[in-house]
Amino acid sequence: MGEATEVDYLVIGAGAVGMSFADVLLTETDATIAIVDRRHRPGGHWNDAYPFVRLHQPSSFYGVSSRPLGTGAKDEVGHNQGMFELASGQEVLSHFDLTMQQRFLPSGRVQWFPMSGVDDPDADNSVTVRSLMSGERTTMNARTVVDATHSQMKIPSVDAPNYIVDEGVECIPPNDLPRRGTGHDQYVVVGAGKTAMDACIWLLDNATPPERIRWIMPRDSWLLDRTRSQPGEEFFTQFCEGLADQVEAVAVADDIDGVFLESERRGALLRIDPSVTPEAYHCAVISPGELEQLRSITDIVRLGRVTRLSPDEIVLEHGSIAASAHPLYVDCSSPGIPRRPSTPVFDGGRITPQWTRTCQPTFSAAFVAHVEAAYDDEQLKNELCEPIEPPEVALDYLRMLQRELATRTRLDQQPEIRTWMETCRLDPFSSVAKTQIGVNAEATEHLGRYLTNYGPAVAKIDDFLGPL
């Protein structure tokens, strides 16, 4: 072990959160930074994602603030036609890798430790970094340790199925679909999240007849309409309409069920089967074309989670069904972002980035870094960065909205933060709002409707959630 190295920040994790956080620190401070990750390159779970994965929000919402992701073009064909491009997994990985190679390392202020692990920091934030290849140890004395692994993703290619797969049953992660997906009589997609939706759409896009797809859906989910989350002046009216509809749906509802039904009526929320009440919500964003594709699958099994796959039957929590001849099971059952209890973002010499804006992990990480750079008072920093736990059940849609609205109120009292958001690439709306409010009459009218219903919506959410 060599001599201890001094750094201002030790960032544990070079995934989207760690990279976005470090990027803003590099821009707004003169700090020295060490970044440690157990993988061989930046990008976190994107290194293990299935080959046909894409972002489900526009590329302008993701990545590091200092570097564009994608070309800013709109898709001219496909399910996302007319909307801004969705970066592929390889584009995302390239984005983070180029950020490291062309921005972080040339700065002279960033040390990069790939294929490495860390011991728990001691009281003085002295951390031992261990190479997973050579075993070499490096001691890092950090002023602040940043744990960017709090919301570590769980994905099928890394995490084994949480059910029994008997011998003779072919069960693969979605990563293997392009290589092993041919020659089967039936495809059984296990899981109800965005990964399962992507697997179903991949099968359909590759000429698999819908009647040959069976979908094991433990819980239906409420979904978000991608047409309402597009950046830029062209879509600003739609964005403002969506914002207003979201709070007005709460303000006019008589109960929690009414919130979801009213939100659906206004197009703020979608569901695959209008006859089934969703029990889950995971921030999944979908286009009308993708929704139409998924609705073409009619063999949907709603008997809870799988407990066992045998050659003859599929055993589920609430019953069992016969297995077809020669099926291929596609495991999409990993939870994605597992729900973990929130913790204060700022705690002395430790920072734990978490969501501060719903469904926006990289903006949230960038925002936490800006607050760290711009403010000294820890209590104020934690008030500005109150964590929003990732959702799981349908009710979390309201819980997240409650926290989001409270955060917006606090941020509105900080003119400096509003100015920062207007320059942050990951917040593509603030800069547009600065030029469009008062100019775009229709968008301004929607924002007026938003402000009118803001107070009543906050009161309704508090009333609905209070007994729970």
Tab-separated table of all heavy atoms in Angstrom, residues 224-247:
chain	number	residue	atom	x	y	z
A	224	LEU	N	-46.852	6.697	-17.939
A	224	LEU	CA	-46.829	8.097	-18.345
A	224	LEU	C	-46.762	8.185	-19.869
A	224	LEU	O	-46.102	7.363	-20.516
A	224	LEU	CB	-45.621	8.810	-17.726
A	224	LEU	CG	-45.582	8.836	-16.190
A	224	LEU	CD1	-44.251	9.408	-15.706
A	224	LEU	CD2	-46.740	9.646	-15.621
A	225	ASP	N	-47.408	9.180	-20.429
A	225	ASP	CA	-47.460	9.383	-21.875
A	225	ASP	C	-46.247	10.201	-22.322
A	225	ASP	O	-46.070	11.341	-21.896
A	225	ASP	CB	-48.761	10.102	-22.242
A	225	ASP	CG	-48.963	10.253	-23.744
A	225	ASP	OD1	-48.017	9.995	-24.514
A	225	ASP	OD2	-50.071	10.655	-24.148
A	226	ARG	N	-45.423	9.603	-23.189
A	226	ARG	CA	-44.199	10.279	-23.632
A	226	ARG	C	-44.477	11.564	-24.424
A	226	ARG	O	-43.648	12.463	-24.465
A	226	ARG	CB	-43.337	9.323	-24.470
A	226	ARG	CG	-41.928	9.856	-24.727
A	226	ARG	CD	-41.092	8.860	-25.519
A	226	ARG	NE	-40.978	7.607	-24.816
A	226	ARG	CZ	-41.153	6.413	-25.368
A	226	ARG	NH1	-41.497	6.323	-26.646
A	226	ARG	NH2	-41.017	5.318	-24.667
A	227	THR	N	-45.630	11.649	-25.050
A	227	THR	CA	-45.926	12.865	-25.813
A	227	THR	C	-46.013	14.085	-24.909
A	227	THR	O	-45.891	15.217	-25.380
A	227	THR	CB	-47.252	12.729	-26.587
A	227	THR	OG1	-48.337	12.558	-25.663
A	227	THR	CG2	-47.211	11.540	-27.533
A	228	ARG	N	-46.202	13.856	-23.601
A	228	ARG	CA	-46.312	14.972	-22.660
A	228	ARG	C	-44.992	15.302	-21.982
A	228	ARG	O	-44.963	16.163	-21.094
A	228	ARG	CB	-47.376	14.654	-21.601
A	228	ARG	CG	-48.788	14.656	-22.174
A	228	ARG	CD	-49.813	14.544	-21.083
A	228	ARG	NE	-51.147	14.865	-21.603
A	228	ARG	CZ	-52.065	15.558	-20.926
A	228	ARG	NH1	-51.789	16.034	-19.738
A	228	ARG	NH2	-53.247	15.796	-21.459
A	229	SER	N	-43.943	14.628	-22.352
A	229	SER	CA	-42.648	14.906	-21.723
A	229	SER	C	-41.590	15.142	-22.795
A	229	SER	O	-40.536	14.510	-22.807
A	229	SER	CB	-42.229	13.754	-20.805
A	229	SER	OG	-42.134	12.538	-21.532
A	230	GLN	N	-41.895	16.080	-23.687
A	230	GLN	CA	-40.971	16.449	-24.749
A	230	GLN	C	-40.418	17.845	-24.486
A	230	GLN	O	-41.152	18.748	-24.074
A	230	GLN	CB	-41.688	16.429	-26.101
A	230	GLN	CG	-42.201	15.061	-26.513
A	230	GLN	CD	-41.085	14.078	-26.769
A	230	GLN	OE1	-40.216	14.305	-27.595
A	230	GLN	NE2	-41.104	12.967	-26.043
A	231	PRO	N	-39.127	18.061	-24.712
A	231	PRO	CA	-38.528	19.365	-24.436
A	231	PRO	C	-38.707	20.337	-25.599
A	231	PRO	O	-39.147	19.962	-26.694
A	231	PRO	CB	-37.048	19.013	-24.255
A	231	PRO	CG	-36.844	17.841	-25.170
A	231	PRO	CD	-38.134	17.058	-25.110
A	232	GLY	N	-38.343	21.595	-25.359
A	232	GLY	CA	-38.275	22.576	-26.434
A	232	GLY	C	-39.535	23.399	-26.611
A	232	GLY	O	-40.606	23.079	-26.086
A	233	GLU	N	-39.412	24.490	-27.375
A	233	GLU	CA	-40.517	25.425	-27.588
A	233	GLU	C	-41.701	24.763	-28.277
A	233	GLU	O	-42.858	25.053	-27.964
A	233	GLU	CB	-40.033	26.618	-28.410
A	233	GLU	CG	-39.050	27.516	-27.681
A	233	GLU	CD	-38.682	28.739	-28.495
A	233	GLU	OE1	-39.260	28.927	-29.580
A	233	GLU	OE2	-37.812	29.518	-28.044
A	234	GLU	N	-41.430	23.878	-29.231
A	234	GLU	CA	-42.500	23.255	-29.999
A	234	GLU	C	-43.479	22.498	-29.111
A	234	GLU	O	-44.693	22.454	-29.377
A	234	GLU	CB	-41.905	22.318	-31.047
A	234	GLU	CG	-42.923	21.567	-31.866
A	234	GLU	CD	-42.287	20.563	-32.813
A	234	GLU	OE1	-41.040	20.557	-32.943
A	234	GLU	OE2	-43.042	19.775	-33.422
A	235	PHE	N	-42.960	21.893	-28.031
A	235	PHE	CA	-43.791	21.060	-27.164
A	235	PHE	C	-44.112	21.747	-25.837
A	235	PHE	O	-44.667	21.113	-24.938
A	235	PHE	CB	-43.083	19.730	-26.882
A	235	PHE	CG	-42.923	18.852	-28.090
A	235	PHE	CD1	-41.751	18.879	-28.827
A	235	PHE	CD2	-43.943	18.015	-28.507
A	235	PHE	CE1	-41.590	18.078	-29.946
A	235	PHE	CE2	-43.808	17.213	-29.617
A	235	PHE	CZ	-42.629	17.238	-30.346
A	236	PHE	N	-43.763	23.020	-25.715
A	236	PHE	CA	-43.923	23.684	-24.418
A	236	PHE	C	-45.382	23.774	-24.000
A	236	PHE	O	-45.719	23.628	-22.826
A	236	PHE	CB	-43.286	25.076	-24.454
A	236	PHE	CG	-43.224	25.744	-23.113
A	236	PHE	CD1	-42.460	25.211	-22.089
A	236	PHE	CD2	-43.959	26.903	-22.859
A	236	PHE	CE1	-42.409	25.824	-20.837
A	236	PHE	CE2	-43.910	27.521	-21.622
A	236	PHE	CZ	-43.133	26.982	-20.608
A	237	THR	N	-46.272	24.011	-24.948
A	237	THR	CA	-47.699	24.075	-24.618
A	237	THR	C	-48.186	22.743	-24.062
A	237	THR	O	-48.906	22.695	-23.055
A	237	THR	CB	-48.517	24.463	-25.857
A	237	THR	OG1	-48.132	25.770	-26.285
A	237	THR	CG2	-50.006	24.468	-25.539
A	238	GLN	N	-47.775	21.624	-24.709
A	238	GLN	CA	-48.176	20.304	-24.223
A	238	GLN	C	-47.616	20.031	-22.837
A	238	GLN	O	-48.297	19.445	-21.983
A	238	GLN	CB	-47.690	19.222	-25.188
A	238	GLN	CG	-48.443	19.180	-26.510
A	238	GLN	CD	-47.807	18.206	-27.471
A	238	GLN	OE1	-47.007	18.590	-28.315
A	238	GLN	NE2	-48.170	16.946	-27.345
A	239	PHE	N	-46.381	20.471	-22.610
A	239	PHE	CA	-45.786	20.270	-21.286
A	239	PHE	C	-46.582	21.027	-20.225
A	239	PHE	O	-46.900	20.485	-19.163
A	239	PHE	CB	-44.331	20.733	-21.295
A	239	PHE	CG	-43.749	20.862	-19.916
A	239	PHE	CD1	-43.457	19.744	-19.162
A	239	PHE	CD2	-43.514	22.115	-19.358
A	239	PHE	CE1	-42.935	19.862	-17.874
A	239	PHE	CE2	-42.992	22.245	-18.088
A	239	PHE	CZ	-42.708	21.119	-17.342
A	240	CYS	N	-46.911	22.277	-20.508
A	240	CYS	CA	-47.662	23.076	-19.538
A	240	CYS	C	-49.053	22.511	-19.314
A	240	CYS	O	-49.569	22.513	-18.187
A	240	CYS	CB	-47.741	24.526	-20.009
A	240	CYS	SG	-46.145	25.380	-20.054
A	241	GLU	N	-49.661	21.999	-20.382
A	241	GLU	CA	-50.968	21.370	-20.244
A	241	GLU	C	-50.882	20.149	-19.332
A	241	GLU	O	-51.749	19.932	-18.473
A	241	GLU	CB	-51.505	20.970	-21.619
A	241	GLU	CG	-52.886	20.345	-21.574
A	241	GLU	CD	-53.392	19.953	-22.954
A	241	GLU	OE1	-52.558	19.848	-23.883
A	241	GLU	OE2	-54.608	19.749	-23.107
A	242	GLY	N	-49.837	19.346	-19.516
A	242	GLY	CA	-49.662	18.173	-18.670
A	242	GLY	C	-49.446	18.539	-17.224
A	242	GLY	O	-49.963	17.891	-16.305
A	243	LEU	N	-48.663	19.592	-16.992
A	243	LEU	CA	-48.409	20.057	-15.631
A	243	LEU	C	-49.701	20.500	-14.966
A	243	LEU	O	-49.979	20.154	-13.812
A	243	LEU	CB	-47.400	21.214	-15.685
A	243	LEU	CG	-46.632	21.580	-14.425
A	243	LEU	CD1	-45.714	20.432	-14.011
A	243	LEU	CD2	-45.817	22.850	-14.672
A	244	ALA	N	-50.510	21.263	-15.720
A	244	ALA	CA	-51.772	21.741	-15.177
A	244	ALA	C	-52.744	20.600	-14.941
A	244	ALA	O	-53.451	20.550	-13.919
A	244	ALA	CB	-52.376	22.777	-16.122
A	245	ASP	N	-52.815	19.661	-15.892
A	245	ASP	CA	-53.722	18.521	-15.744
A	245	ASP	C	-53.369	17.688	-14.519
A	245	ASP	O	-54.254	17.165	-13.834
A	245	ASP	CB	-53.668	17.643	-16.994
A	245	ASP	CG	-54.450	18.242	-18.160
A	245	ASP	OD1	-55.245	19.167	-17.927
A	245	ASP	OD2	-54.247	17.780	-19.300
A	246	GLN	N	-52.088	17.566	-14.252
A	246	GLN	CA	-51.647	16.739	-13.127
A	246	GLN	C	-52.194	17.272	-11.799
A	246	GLN	O	-52.730	16.513	-10.991
A	246	GLN	CB	-50.113	16.693	-13.074
A	246	GLN	CG	-49.564	15.768	-12.006
A	246	GLN	CD	-48.053	15.818	-11.938
A	246	GLN	OE1	-47.444	16.884	-11.957
A	246	GLN	NE2	-47.433	14.654	-11.861
A	247	VAL	N	-52.076	18.588	-11.578
A	247	VAL	CA	-52.544	19.128	-10.291
A	247	VAL	C	-54.064	19.310	-10.285
A	247	VAL	O	-54.710	19.123	-9.254
A	247	VAL	CB	-51.832	20.452	-9.951
A	247	VAL	CG1	-50.346	20.214	-9.726
A	247	VAL	CG2	-52.050	21.509	-11.002
